[in-house]
Structure formats: structure tokens, C-alpha cells
Amino acid sequence: MKKEMLTGNAAAAWGVRLAEVDYIPAFPVTPQTEIIETLARWIADGDMASRFVTMDSEHSMITAAGAASATGVRAFTATSSQGLLYGFEMLYAVAGWRVPLVMVNVSRGLSAPITLETDHNDVLAARDSGFLQIHCETCQEVLDSILMAYRLVEDERVLLPIIVNMDGFYLSFTREPVEVPNLERVRNFLPPYQPKHAFFKASQPMAQSVTALGGSLYSYFKYQMHLGSQKALEVYKEVCVEFEKEFGRHYDTIEGYMLDDADYVLVMTNSFSTLGKAAVKRARARGIKAGLLRLRLLRPFPAENIQRALTGKRAVAVIDQNISVGKGGILHSDVASCLCNEKQRPLLFSFIGGLGGKNISPGEFEFIFTELIKAVAGEAVEPSQLLYTEEEWQEMVRLKRIAGKE
Amino acid sequence: MLMLRVRFHGRGGQGAKVASRVLGTAAFLEGYYAQDFPLYGAERRGAPIAAFTRIADEPIMERGVISEPDVVIVMDKTLLRDHQAKPLSGLKKGGVIFINTPQSPEEARAEYTIAGQIITLDLTKICLDILQRTVISSLAGAVAAKIVGLSEASLKAAVEKVISEIVTDSVILEKNIEAALYCFHAIPAVELKTTEAVQMESRVFTMPFEPAAISSPALNTTGTTVLRKTGNWRVFRPVWDYDACNKCQICVARCPEGCILVNEEGFPYVDYENCKGCLICVEECPAKTLGKEREVHAKADSEEVIG
Ligand code: SF4
Ligand code: SF4
């Protein structure tokens, strides 16, 4: 199979095309728009047999996608940032309907202030909704994850919607070699969606998402969503094996990089993990036993895998490209929760970096390793720090002066 | 230590919530610790609702639903056969049941096979006589105040306070006080000698995984409304006068329940099993030919089981 240069957005569109999706409600938002433009063009040219509808907002778009999914067709939609938040109410609703919708989110920092560049507060805001979440490092992974996503969530043991996430600009507009799989092989891996259980049909009236007044009814439905999501960890393993069999690429829930014998570990997600891996290589060259753990499946949270990967390490730095204002790094809390009962737990530190697409420079990675080594040696280290450089601060000083804020 | 728990069962629009507030306020004004709280679903006139009042001489360390009441106030007797409202469930031994009905306690006991102390009074009739309406909140609050042994003065002050927060019309307020005091005196004083409820053992259950085909909030069946006939929600029933009706069918179009049908001659008729008595049809009839009659629930609810 040959490779071609594709952006993350084009790779996403290819994933949708190969999955032979039936219905795509859409609404444009930077940096996602290229996905739906590509799909619209293919449909107009007759290369794809899907129905494409431009909606009036993301709220309607997610509703339409979820409702279509509830009739038993394969649906897709995509959004980003403010758009995701505009449709937010429907995320919980669609998840509660237990429909296997696949949605791509192209991560972009939330306003205010307005930015177009990436961080993960948008997608992580949806982490408690019931949508599963896969976070991608490469354009290839975006395409592959969309195929895996349909297979995973259409499984009768799961039936929950899923978000496949990629970073705005850093993946969405970045071209790199991507192998576009052959349609026949995709069909082997992902057969047409034919739900066996009850779905809306004209011949069979039913009510979906009925009211559940009374806490014990509500608890049942809500907790079953949780159990379904947990079940997805098991199903994911099978999907992962099947995918590798068909396409030769392996994607676990987490990915270790030089991790096995590492003492000092970075925990990262998405495209900036590539920068982290380079930093690990440089640290190794300096004689530091560095490693990296990339979290790929964030919901369901693969707590056991993370535990196994990190217990026995000396010190771990979770780099959160997000900030829970008033608390700190979101993933730091999640990682801490699955390590706190381990006897051999590592020292755990939180670093906020890459907000609004801010670069994480080699110097900043070096700083992290220095801090981890200090901590292991017994020196005091701040539990939570921001990655920000002198030069960046000087630039802010200059801009504040221009803004009349001295 | 004194702790009394009173549970009101009514239908949306009857004033169960306000009744629980009248009782709570009266207890509070008399120097007790008090707590009141209503529980209702999406607002629907006629739907069963419950409200709760706790009265104690120490700070109250409870919240929410009262599952083991000392006193139950049944503001609509059709609820006695409602398998979801279950007004008698959990009533403590020695507890008191009040029922809003023209029946005597003995008649009610026989009809509903109820054990325990029963008190009855036709609150709806008293309310219609004095207030010309069917919102019996102050009356039910007054009955409860008498049963738990609060004073007339506290009740009067409570009705004044609670009702004046809702209506500005001083005539309505005065009539509420009059009706409340009438009921307070009309029922006998009782001695509440409930024993502490035995704490039911509840074991935590580990919920098993069930696939979404089972565990999604969906109904795969149709016709489930037969399990919940709304016909016994009525206080008044609409009645048609075919001599005056011009067959315009506006009532048919306006009925929110869709339960008015049209017969072969083009006259509207109603499915009384499901008509909930909102009287929108009466309001909307342009010929003003639709009338209303006080409902007498003799046998309408007989097929439902006692809770
Ligand atoms: S609205 Fe009145 S006049 Fe018209 S059909 Fe109904 S009852 Fe008859
Ligand atoms: S009272 Fe009239 S409008 Fe209301 S449910 Fe009954 S028939 Fe319908």
C-alpha cells in the first residue's frame, strides 16, 4: 500500500469515506472545516454515497447526528472548540441515547481570549459526557482511529458515542505521509452497521430516551453508561488485535516510548507527544533514563494499564495541555487517582504546557527532567508548574507596554 | 425527643406543597424545628404529587422523602388506589390516616381495607362552599396541624403568612383562614402514639453490566398508558350538551390529551378513562355549551390495586 502526503483533516475525511458513512450533518468551524469541505466535495462528485446536510448550528448538528444514529444508520460529524461547546448540551443527550456516533474534534483553545491554536480544554470538557475519547498523535492515527472507533462503539457491548481528537494546526493542517487503506480491507475490518437491537423504524414504534424521574431509575441508566464505557476497554483490546491483523499497525490504549527501563517519565497526549519523544531521546543521550507514556484512550480511562506502566518509576511529570482553572492540570488528577493506592508509586508532578498552541521548547523539557531528578534526590520541587520561557515573558512585557498596561 | 413526620398526597393543583408549608410554618411559629419539602415531576395538573413536613424539638438531621410517616394526609382519595403514589406505604404503627372524602371513617376503612386510625372530612366540599374553588392547601394544612397537636393560634398565623405570600387578595386570604379554622375544629383531637419505625435493612447491590439494548432509556412496547389511566385525576368532568353544540370541533382540537373523539353524527364525546379534567375544552368552547360536573369516583378506579 502506498503512502501520500495528507493533512490530519484530509486523513479524517478519508477515514469517514472508507467507513462508508451514511449521514453527515455539518457546521463549519476553524480548524475543522476542511474535513467537511472535503467530504462535501467527494459527495458532490459522486465519490461517496453519503447524505450531507449543513445545519444551522452545532447544537442541531449533534442532535441530527445522534438522531440519525438512533435510526440505525452510520453517522459522522466533526467540530472544534467553541462549536463543541455550543453543542455541549447534546453531548450528554446523545450519549444517554446509547448511539454509536463518531465525531471528530479538532482541538482548539477556548475563548476568551480568542485563539485558533490548539489545547485540550475543549475536548476534555466533554470527558464526563459518556462519549469515549481517542486522542491522536499523527495523521495516520487519525484515519486509523476513525475506523477503529466505528468498530468499537458499534459493538453491542458498548453502544456509546465517541470523539476522535486531533490537534488543530499541529495535525489538522500538517501534511505528512499517510497510508490510505484499501476499501476491501476496510470492509473486512468494519462490516456495514446492522444493529440487531431495537432502533427507530416506521414499522415498529418505540420511545427512546424516556423520562426517568426518581433517583434509582436515573442511577441505573447513568451507571449502565459507565459500565458500557468500562466494557469498551475489553472490546478495545479485540478491536486493536483485529486492526493490527488487517493493517499491520498496532494501537494500544496507551503507548510507551523508551518506557520499560525508564526512571523519569513524561506523560503526554496528542501531537505534542512527538516533541516529548524527541526530548526523551536527547535526555537518554545525556545519560538520563528517560521515557514517555502517551495516553491515547482517555475515556474509558485505562487506569490499570497506566498503573502497570508507571508503578516502580522514580518520578513522573504529567504535561497537561489544558488547565482546569482553580485546580490545574486535568490529566494529572486522573493519573494521580490511579496511582495513589500503589505501594511503589512514583513521585508525581504537574506541568501545564502548550496552552493555546504555545510551543514546548527543548529547554523546557530539559527543565522538567532536572526537576524530576532534584525531587528524587530529596530537594523541594513545586508540585505544579507552568512551562513558560524568559523570552516569552519578555515578549509579554513588551506587548503589555504597547497595550498601555505598565 | 419529639420527631413527627407528615406526608401529604395530592394531585397537581390541589395544594399539597402549600399544605406542607402551612404545617411547617405553624410548627416553626410554635417554636419547633421544622422542615418541609415537595416532590413533583414535570408540572402537570392532576398528576400525583407528595409533600413532606418534619417537626422536631431538636435540629432535624433528615432530608428528602419521608418513607415512614406518623401521619398521612390523603388529599384525593383516588390516590389510595394509585400504584405509584402508594399513600399508605410505610405508615408507622399507631399512625393516623386522614382522607379527604364525604365517606365516614368506617366506610373508607371498608372500601380500602385500611388498618389504623382513620379520620375523614370532605375538604373539597368545604372549600367549594367557602372559597368557591378546589385548592384545599390551607384546609389540609389545618387538618394536619390539628392531628399533630399544634395550636389554633399557630395555624392561623401560618395560613396568614403562607397564603399572603401567594395571593394578594385579602378576601381570599380571609376565606382561607376561615376554611382552615373550620377544618381545625371539625376533626377530633387524636393522640399520636407511633412507635419508632424499625430501620429496614438495606443491602448494597453490585450492579451488573447490561448491554445497551436492555439498559438504554427506551420503551420498545406501545400502549403503556393503559397502566396509568389519567381519568381519576379529575375533580370535575366535562359534560356535553348536544342540543346546543354546533359541532365546530374546537374542543376536539384543543384537548391536550387528545381524548375527545367524534361520533358518527359529528358530535364530540370524551374518553373518560383518560380525560384528566383540565377543563380546557370547557374554556375553549365558543358556544359555551360545555358544562362541568363534580366528579364522584365511585368505581372508576376499581381495577387498580391498593399500594
Ligand atoms: S367546542 Fe363546543 S360547540 Fe364546538 S364541538 Fe365542542 S362542544 Fe360543540
Ligand atoms: S377536560 Fe376536556 S380538554 Fe381536558 S382532558 Fe378532559 S376532555 Fe380533554
Side-chain angles (χ1 to χ4, degrees), chain A residues 14-331:
Chain A
W14 266 109
V16 177
R17 175 168 166 172
L18 291 169
E20 299 183 280
V21 165
D22 301 297
Y23 179 68
I24 304 164
F27 192 82
V29 53
T30 303
Q32 170 277 122
T33 311
E34 198 183 56
I35 301 177
I36 57 166
E37 279 174 353
T38 307
L39 291 169
R41 195 178 63 240
W42 282 337
I43 292 167
D45 292 350
D47 296 327
M48 270 179 86
S50 321
R51 253 318 177 81
F52 186 98
V53 184
T54 310
M55 307 301 290
D56 62 299
S57 71
E58 286 85 355
H59 190 278
S60 310
M61 178 188 88
I62 296 172
T63 310
S69 217
T71 66
V73 302
R74 189 172 279 162
F76 172 81
T77 192
T79 190
S80 174
S81 187
Q82 307 302 130
L84 181 72
L85 262 64
Y86 194 82
F88 203 80
E89 176 188 12
M90 291 316 295
L91 295 179
Y92 277 72
V94 165
W97 299 346
R98 304 297 303 267
V99 293
L101 167 68
V102 175
M103 176 159 87
V104 162
N105 182 65
V106 183
S107 267
R108 167 183 145 190
L110 296 169
S111 65
I114 289 178
T115 184
L116 295 175
E117 283 184 75
T118 196
D119 70 34
H120 306 135
N121 268 105
D122 59 353
V123 62
L124 290 178
R127 74 185 186 274
D128 306 329
S129 65
F131 272 68
L132 312 189
Q133 294 198 1
I134 294 177
H135 290 233
C136 304
E137 184 189 349
T138 66
C139 296
Q140 181 74 60
E141 198 180 337
V142 170
L143 192 161
D144 292 348
S145 296
I146 289 172
L147 302 178
M148 291 177 82
Y150 279 110
R151 173 84 187 251
L152 174 67
V153 296
E154 286 173 2
D155 190 288
E156 290 188 353
R157 292 165 290 175
V158 181
L159 282 177
L160 280 166
I162 184 165
I163 291 172
V164 175
N165 192 69
M166 76 170 110
D167 283 340
F169 291 79
Y170 290 83
L171 278 198
S172 71
F173 296 159
T174 299
R175 292 202 321 153
E176 58 188 18
V178 173
E179 182 185 303
V180 178
N182 168 289
L183 181 60
E184 285 311 312
R185 308 196 75 160
V186 173
R187 283 178 178 158
N188 284 341
F189 170 75
L190 182 69
Y193 181 41
Q194 278 165 335
K196 283 199 279 298
H197 56 284
F199 264 92
F200 280 137
K201 296 185 198 84
S203 56
Q204 188 194 323
M206 68 178 295
Q208 281 198 27
S209 195
V210 297
T211 313
L213 299 178
S216 56
L217 269 76
Y218 184 82
S219 300
Y220 168 79
F221 293 117
K222 211 72 188 175
Y223 202 73
Q224 285 297 337
M225 286 170 70
H226 175 63
L227 292 176
S229 184
Q230 298 274 288
K231 200 77 179 171
L233 285 171
E234 194 181 308
V235 179
Y236 184 85
K237 265 190 218 147
E238 302 167 16
V239 173
C240 189
V241 170
E242 293 294 314
F243 189 87
E244 190 172 6
K245 240 193 257 167
E246 197 60 56
F247 305 106
R249 287 184 290 276
H250 178 79
Y251 298 101
D252 213 330
T253 58
I254 53 173
E255 181 204 355
Y257 181 81
M258 298 192 172
L259 190 62
D260 291 348
D261 66 337
D263 288 330
Y264 305 97
V265 180
L266 306 178
V267 175
M268 296 183 75
T269 65
N270 292 285
S271 66
F272 275 40
S273 306
T274 311
L275 308 181
K277 288 173 181 174
V280 165
K281 264 174 105 172
R282 289 192 303 270
R284 286 267 174 176
R286 295 200 311 274
I288 299 167
K289 284 176 107 180
L292 181 139
L293 176 72
R294 179 168 73 92
L295 309 182
R296 190 176 121 77
L297 190 65
L298 282 188
R299 285 294 179 274
F301 193 65
E304 267 179 45
N305 295 352
I306 294 171
Q307 246 166 36
R308 228 173 296 132
L310 294 181
T311 39
K313 303 299 177 198
R314 301 180 83 172
V316 172
V318 181
I319 304 179
D320 269 292
Q321 201 171 359
N322 64 70
I323 183 162
S324 169
V325 176
K327 170 65 172 73
I330 293 170
L331 297 177

Side-chain angles (χ1 to χ4, degrees), chain B residues 234 238 240 251 254-260 270 274-282:
Chain B
R234 289 192 303 269
W240 274 258
C251 56
R254 289 284 192 268
C255 171
E257 296 296 295
C259 62
I260 306 179
V270 74
N274 289 301
C275 159
K276 62 183 186 181
C278 68
L279 301 183
I280 286 173
C281 52
V282 177

